[in-house]
Amino acid sequence: MIGGFLGAGKTTAIARLARQYLNAGKRVAVVTNDQAHGLVDTESLRGQGLSVGEVPGACFCCKFDDLVETLVKLEAEQRPDIILTEPVGSCTDLVATVIEPLRRLHGDRYEVGRLAVLCKPEHGRKILAGGDAAGGFSPKAEYIFLKQLEEADIVVVNKVDALSDADTTRLAALVGEHSAGKPVLLASGKRGDGFDELARLLAEPRGPSRAPMDVDYDVYAEGEAELAWLNATIDVNATGGAMIDVDRLAVDAVARLADASAARGDEPAHIKVLGYADGGACVANLVCSEGPAELSLASGQRSAAVRLVVNARVAGDPEQLAASLGPALDRVAGTYTYEVTALQQFRPGRPRPTHRMS
């Protein structure tokens, strides 16, 4: 299981790990997870040729039986040696509610590996250093981030390719202070730094069960509820024989949604847009208010018709987030026409795990 806060780079890391295992002759499958349906991550990983199952609608802990059914289906269809799972980025308490139940109820079928948690640098260096509104989130949302690091077996400081040596050193020291006795890796899902060591650590046995960490589910639930979830599908069409630059359209859509969040004073946790065209797909994303919209997967395509899939997770009001979609698209589309064919916005509900084992 590869956990971490929204925007920590879990999907990129899982894709890289999967390629490493495939190159070593292993059969690999992936299970993605989200509070909503219509996930950019799922389609992105499938577009890279991976076998992917999906558990939508709530976190793994609340959809434990769905997770098991998905594992069984992948096992029957793909016969994988390794299954990589990506929990919701706003989820914690995974050891007590997912890992231990899997070990105790299905240990005859699966060997459950160690939990790796990716530390998101953009908010991590602010939250871990402390201070008022350190990461652009409330203390209740920051509580989830800190609990994710607390329960990790392996902590991965990800995206070091985007940090200076000085920033990397400072962040590693901060993480080390909050992760005493745990291995802390410096890694880059984009470049591959640290991934041989991560694969080695993941292959080590979990060891005996330990007491679950103390979690205040009221604070946890309120922290999640402060995040607005938006999923949308938009069909964009050029007119008059024009062609659309698919990659640029996706990046611009992310940037305009980020502009709208900034105007409201809301902090983005992660805004992702998948752009589909006949010749391929791209993914653009933004992971904090201070960062730019970036293309993480390029298509290099120009097309008269493009489908955009939007996943936005922002600390704010979901109705306001949804209301900003139309004006953002108006700014992006220009002379193009567009139609929103699916739209879902909400706050996550209180976590109610199927199991919580002591």
Side-chain angles (χ1 to χ4, degrees):
M1 184 172 288
I2 311 298
F5 203 68
L6 296 156
K10 297 185 293 298
T11 306
T12 301
I14 284 173
R16 180 168 290 279
L17 275 173
R19 288 194 296 271
Q20 285 190 205
Y21 292 135
L22 289 167
N23 290 339
K26 301 289 187 181
R27 295 185 297 274
V28 182
V30 178
V31 181
T32 57
N33 177 218
D34 198 77
Q35 304 279 5
H37 296 71
L39 306 186
V40 168
D41 292 348
T42 301
E43 297 308 320
S44 173
L45 291 166
R46 284 175 178 163
Q48 297 175 61
L50 297 173
S51 299
V52 185
E54 183 180 270
V55 178
C59 49
F60 282 147
C61 64
C62 302
K63 290 266 190 172
F64 183 84
D65 293 339
D66 289 11
L67 170 60
V68 173
E69 289 177 9
T70 303
L71 296 175
V72 170
K73 183 177 180 181
L74 285 169
E75 183 182 357
E77 294 176 351
Q78 307 296 334
R79 303 297 298 169
D81 301 300
I82 297 170
I83 301 177
L84 297 166
T85 59
E86 179 186 359
V88 177
S90 60
C91 187
T92 189
D93 203 25
L94 293 164
V95 173
T97 63
V98 183
I99 289 174
E100 283 304 320
L102 277 172
R103 294 179 83 187
R104 299 191 198 184
L105 301 175
H106 303 280
D108 59 335
R109 191 166 196 152
Y110 306 109
E111 179 182 354
V112 184
R114 303 170 81 191
L115 171 62
V117 170
L118 274 56
C119 176
K120 177 181 179 179
E122 294 85 354
H123 293 124
R125 53 192 166 191
K126 297 180 180 180
I127 293 171
L128 296 176
D132 294 336
F137 297 111
S138 77
K140 292 176 181 177
E142 291 177 6
Y143 177 84
I144 299 170
F145 179 96
L146 294 170
K147 282 296 178 181
Q148 289 176 342
L149 295 184
E150 181 181 337
E151 74 169 341
D153 298 306
I154 306 159
V155 180
V156 182
V157 178
N158 194 27
K159 305 183 183 180
V160 295
D161 57 285
L163 302 177
S164 67
D165 290 344
D167 283 343
T168 299
T169 300
R170 282 194 293 269
L171 181 55
L174 286 169
V175 171
E177 291 173 8
H178 286 78
S179 308
K182 299 176 183 178
V184 177
L185 300 183
L186 303 179
S188 166
K190 186 178 292 185
R191 287 193 317 215
D193 309 32
F195 272 72
D196 288 340
E197 178 67 3
L198 176 57
R200 185 189 71 77
L201 289 171
L202 287 171
E204 292 182 355
R206 277 198 60 81
S209 300
R210 63 178 189 260
M213 67 177 180
D214 181 43
V215 179
D216 186 326
Y217 264 73
D218 290 332
V219 176
Y220 175 14
E222 290 168 10
E224 272 204 301
E226 291 177 357
L227 298 171
W229 242 251
L230 170 71
N231 279 17
T233 303
I234 304 105
D235 289 335
V236 183
N237 293 281
T239 57
M243 299 292 280
I244 302 170
D245 184 323
V246 179
D247 297 346
R248 174 49 54 192
L249 180 67
V251 171
D252 286 349
V254 170
R256 298 292 79 78
L257 283 168
D259 290 345
S261 294
R264 297 190 304 273
D266 294 343
E267 177 67 20
H270 203 176
I271 299 174
K272 293 180 280 190
V273 172
L274 175 73
Y276 282 114
D278 291 339
C282 70
V283 177
N285 63 80
L286 176 140
V287 297
C288 73
S289 58
E290 298 173 358
E294 297 181 321
L295 194 67
S296 57
L297 180 66
S299 70
Q301 299 297 312
R302 295 179 63 82
S303 176
V306 180
R307 171 161 289 182
L308 299 178
V309 178
V310 177
N311 293 171
R313 316 308 183 222
V314 175
D317 179 80
E319 298 298 330
Q320 292 180 359
L321 178 59
S324 71
L325 181 62
L329 292 172
D330 290 340
R331 292 181 64 191
V332 171
T335 58
Y336 310 142
T337 63
Y338 70 86
E339 179 184 5
V340 178
T341 59
L343 180 64
Q344 181 184 24
Q345 77 270 0
F346 62 92
R347 296 186 188 276
R350 183 182 179 86
R352 299 187 185 281
T354 307
H355 308 282
R356 190 172 195 267
M357 294 192 170
S358 61

